[in-house]
Amino acid sequence: MTIPVTETALDLEKTAMARCARRSPFRSWPAWLYFGVFLVSFGVFYIFWCTNNLHDYVQSQLLLRNGTEAMFMWQHPPVDVKTKIYVFNYTNVDDFLHYRADKLHVEEVGPYIYLQKKKRVNVTAGKNNDTLVFQEEKFYEWVGGRSEDDVIVAPNVPLLSSVAFVQDWNFAAHVGLTMMSTSLKKRPFIHERAGGFIWGYDDNFFNMVKPFVQQITSVEKFGILAMTNGTDKSRITINTGTRDITKLGMIEQLDGMSSSYIWGDKRCDKIEGTDGTIFPPNLLENNDTVYIYFKDMCRTVPFKFDGHVTKHSVPTLRYKPSRDMFAYTHEKNKCFCRQKGFSRVCPHNGTFDLSACIKLPMVASFPHFLDADQSLTKYIDGLHPREEDHVTFLDVYPNIAAPIAGWTRFQVNVKVRKVRTVPLLGRLPDGLILPILWLETGIDEADLPQNIMSLLYMLNVTLRIVEVVLQWSSLVGMILSMGALLVCFKKHRMEHPDVGLQMSSVDQNKLLEMS
């Protein structure tokens, strides 16, 4: 038998359901408040505990994109790098050349302190818009230390270079060089102002041989560092990191080539690493070795993790080049030895032959021949290598992989290459390496502008505090809001034990009577 359900019966059922709904804990605003707090806390918890969104956002601001602050700071570095130059003054040249002294004596004169004004100019986008092609512009301004008017006695580099240059030429070239040098009264050492010796001085011998060395240098005056002052002709291609942040700042090409084709070895010729002013942020996560390409050496130098230090109250990672980077007993360095026929001729341990790179008989080393072969001081006196003063290091802030302190320290030397038919160098033995100067380039702790220091403080302290507060407050919020919801449900069950999908007994009786 089917029981007819009247409209009144339906109304009673709706009334009962509405009564149940009114007795639901979510009909009261506290339950919804607790539930909302839980949802918000869970969202914050997920973002700060289970994702790297904040970290990824900070890193995304480092990409070199047009119109960004990172791009502007890369083109116009906000920190003026300081360069300190120390020149070696030869004090007993006449005594040595006339056999009255067994060794040449040198004394370190300096520092001559300069601010390096650097910009990236003629910037263009690469083919796929994920690279930048540019030139570097550097100018040096004297700001302190010893006066550039100091008169020093130093090796006559143009003369020594010319003798080395004609070494493999014919006898006529040897005679011509000898006659020209003799007529100009050129000697193996010169007296010159320190400023001129570094950045360029008038030399009639250099002016006469300049047409023959245009492939080596285009400077109007010869100076040891003259070629580094001004706009570099080389065009450098680096990765912007927009497609792959792990390649940010990596040098991909130099003058359109990814290999230097200098050393005759694929590994040593490869152009890789950064220029030392920018690194991919992920590169430092495991304290890995970082690679810096030194264009003046035509080689990449590995910098190994050395330890944790604190700069500007900010924890940083310190990197140093391997102390054996100029040691040719290691197989990894032998490809930098000069190719001669089917074999390689390696320089003295502790030195690096630059002649293949810059076409001059120049040699690089650590200052004062630190970690170099003892035979280098057989004819040189007055050098005092000290690790604390002469070691290169780089301190990098890990969160954004930005160098905030450090000094690169290298020495420039000239190698004597004697020719039997060119009697211009007197007693100087063939193969002798003469120290010229050493320079340290970098920034002191006090050199960082206040806005940079404030940014580092914000990244290291403020951002970390905010992150930690949001992490733990979201966890506490989840626990408290969940607890409050449970209490709310328990209280509701105690106050309304008959709440469910059932009607009250009164409504059930009414419904039966109507049926």
Side-chain angles (χ1 to χ4, degrees):
M1 176 181 179
T2 303
I3 301 175
V5 181
T6 64
E7 185 177 353
T8 306
L10 288 174
D11 291 341
L12 283 172
E13 188 173 358
K14 290 180 180 179
T15 302
M17 295 297 291
R19 187 183 297 115
C20 290
R22 285 195 297 271
R23 292 175 180 176
S24 170
F26 283 102
R27 295 293 295 179
S28 60
W29 66 265
W32 282 110
L33 175 63
Y34 301 146
F35 186 66
V37 171
F38 176 81
L39 289 179
V40 172
S41 299
F42 178 78
V44 175
F45 175 88
Y46 180 79
I47 291 173
F48 285 93
W49 286 90
C50 304
T51 70
N52 293 318
N53 287 352
L54 181 63
H55 180 70
D56 293 342
Y57 172 77
V58 172
Q59 289 193 356
S60 69
Q61 302 306 301
L62 305 176
L63 303 180
L64 299 178
R65 294 175 297 203
N66 284 332
T68 63
E69 185 68 18
M71 183 71 172
F72 179 81
M73 294 178 67
W74 173 78
Q75 285 188 261
H76 307 274
V79 181
D80 290 330
V81 175
K82 190 175 293 183
T83 297
K84 301 178 182 179
I85 300 175
Y86 303 81
V87 179
F88 289 107
N89 181 39
Y90 286 74
T91 61
N92 66 338
V93 168
D94 288 337
D95 288 341
F96 179 80
L97 294 178
H98 292 89
Y99 295 89
R100 295 192 296 267
D102 295 329
K103 289 187 174 184
L104 286 164
H105 183 78
V106 297
E107 63 177 8
E108 179 183 287
V109 181
Y112 302 92
I113 305 175
Y114 301 86
L115 278 186
Q116 181 190 111
K117 306 286 186 176
K118 180 177 180 179
K119 291 191 301 183
R120 275 98 178 188
V121 298
N122 302 324
V123 180
T124 59
K127 292 182 179 179
N128 299 322
N129 289 326
D130 59 350
T131 59
L132 293 173
V133 184
F134 64 94
Q135 292 173 276
E136 285 188 339
E137 182 182 273
K138 289 188 290 187
F139 293 99
Y140 295 83
E141 176 187 353
W142 182 87
V143 293
R146 292 184 64 97
S147 170
E148 291 183 308
D149 292 328
D150 290 341
V151 177
I152 52 105
V153 179
N156 189 339
V157 178
L159 177 63
L160 294 172
S161 299
S162 298
V163 175
F165 192 68
V166 302
Q167 187 177 31
D168 298 325
W169 289 19
N170 56 34
F171 179 73
H174 298 172
V175 173
L177 177 62
T178 301
M179 293 179 61
M180 182 176 65
S181 301
T182 303
S183 65
L184 295 175
K185 299 181 180 180
K186 291 302 173 182
R187 302 185 63 200
F189 293 86
I190 59 171
H191 291 71
E192 186 55 58
R193 290 176 54 254
F197 181 68
I198 296 171
W199 303 114
Y201 61 94
D202 287 316
D203 184 271
N204 51 9
F205 177 81
F206 176 72
N207 291 334
M208 292 186 68
V209 301
K210 189 163 49 177
F212 302 98
V213 295
Q214 288 298 317
Q215 59 177 330
I216 301 175
T217 176
S218 59
V219 295
E220 293 301 316
K221 297 181 179 181
F222 182 84
I224 301 302
L225 302 180
M227 289 185 291
T228 66
N229 201 13
T231 302
D232 195 331
K233 291 184 177 180
S234 299
R235 293 190 64 79
I236 304 171
T237 302
I238 67 166
N239 197 293
T240 62
T242 52
R243 291 176 181 263
D244 184 356
I245 198 171
T246 64
K247 296 181 179 179
L248 174 65
M250 290 290 184
I251 298 175
E252 296 194 349
Q253 291 182 338
L254 189 63
D255 290 326
M257 297 187 297
S258 58
S259 178
S260 62
Y261 301 103
I262 288 176
W263 307 109
D265 181 272
K266 184 177 180 180
R267 178 173 57 86
C268 287
D269 278 331
K270 185 178 181 181
I271 297 172
E272 60 180 343
T274 75
D275 65 357
T277 63
I278 183 173
F279 295 97
N282 66 298
L283 196 62
L284 311 178
E285 290 178 355
N286 300 313
N287 300 331
D288 295 328
T289 298
V290 298
Y291 295 88
I292 299 177
Y293 188 77
F294 284 80
K295 191 172 67 65
D296 295 331
M297 290 186 182
C298 299
R299 68 165 291 183
T300 297
V301 176
F303 277 63
K304 296 182 178 180
F305 174 71
D306 188 67
H308 297 270
V309 296
T310 301
K311 292 288 184 180
H312 315 288
S313 302
V314 173
T316 62
L317 307 177
R318 173 160 291 184
Y319 292 84
K320 291 181 179 179
S322 174
R323 296 285 288 272
D324 62 3
M325 65 175 288
F326 297 145
Y328 303 98
T329 53
H330 293 275
E331 190 65 30
K332 62 182 180 181
N333 293 329
K334 287 186 178 179
C335 57
F336 292 114
C337 299
R338 186 164 50 90
Q339 188 81 36
K340 191 172 184 180
F342 296 101
S343 60
R344 290 183 178 272
V345 179
C346 296
H348 293 279
N349 279 336
T351 65
F352 186 77
D353 189 355
L354 297 172
S355 60
C357 179
I358 62 175
K359 311 303 180 185
L360 291 172
M362 309 299 281
V363 174
S365 68
F366 292 127
H368 288 252
F369 291 137
L370 177 69
D371 298 328
D373 195 316
Q374 293 296 317
S375 63
L376 293 172
T377 57
K378 180 179 180 180
Y379 294 101
I380 304 291
D381 188 28
L383 298 175
H384 307 287
R386 296 181 299 275
E387 181 176 348
E388 62 274 16
D389 296 329
H390 300 144
V391 167
T392 293
F393 69 92
L394 185 67
D395 294 332
V396 183
Y397 179 58
N399 285 13
I400 56 175
I404 62 173
W407 293 93
T408 58
R409 295 164 171 149
F410 290 103
Q411 182 170 300
V412 180
N413 315 275
V414 62
K415 189 173 185 178
V416 176
R417 303 302 303 172
K418 296 193 74 171
V419 179
R420 185 169 52 86
T421 53
V422 184
L424 296 173
L425 306 185
R427 186 190 173 187
L428 295 177
D430 184 52
L432 176 64
I433 296 178
L434 298 172
I436 298 176
L437 57 82
W438 72 273
L439 62 161
E440 54 181 348
T441 301
I443 52 177
D444 286 319
E445 292 188 30
D447 292 335
L448 285 181
Q450 185 60 44
N451 61 330
I452 300 297
M453 294 181 66
S454 300
L455 176 62
L456 292 174
Y457 181 85
M458 183 195 74
L459 289 172
N460 185 62
V461 180
T462 308
L463 204 59
R464 285 182 176 272
I465 291 176
V466 170
E467 185 176 17
V468 170
V469 168
L470 289 175
Q471 282 180 333
W472 290 102
S473 61
S474 64
L475 180 60
V476 171
M478 283 176 60
I479 294 172
L480 293 180
S481 58
M482 178 60 72
L485 273 175
L486 291 176
V487 171
C488 188
F489 278 114
K490 186 176 180 180
K491 183 178 179 182
H492 174 266
R493 292 293 298 273
M494 292 176 65
E495 292 178 351
H496 308 283
D498 59 337
V499 171
L501 294 178
Q502 303 170 346
M503 291 179 282
S504 66
S505 57
V506 176
D507 292 331
Q508 291 178 8
N509 292 334
K510 287 183 179 180
L511 186 59
L512 289 173
E513 291 176 359
M514 295 175 61
S515 301

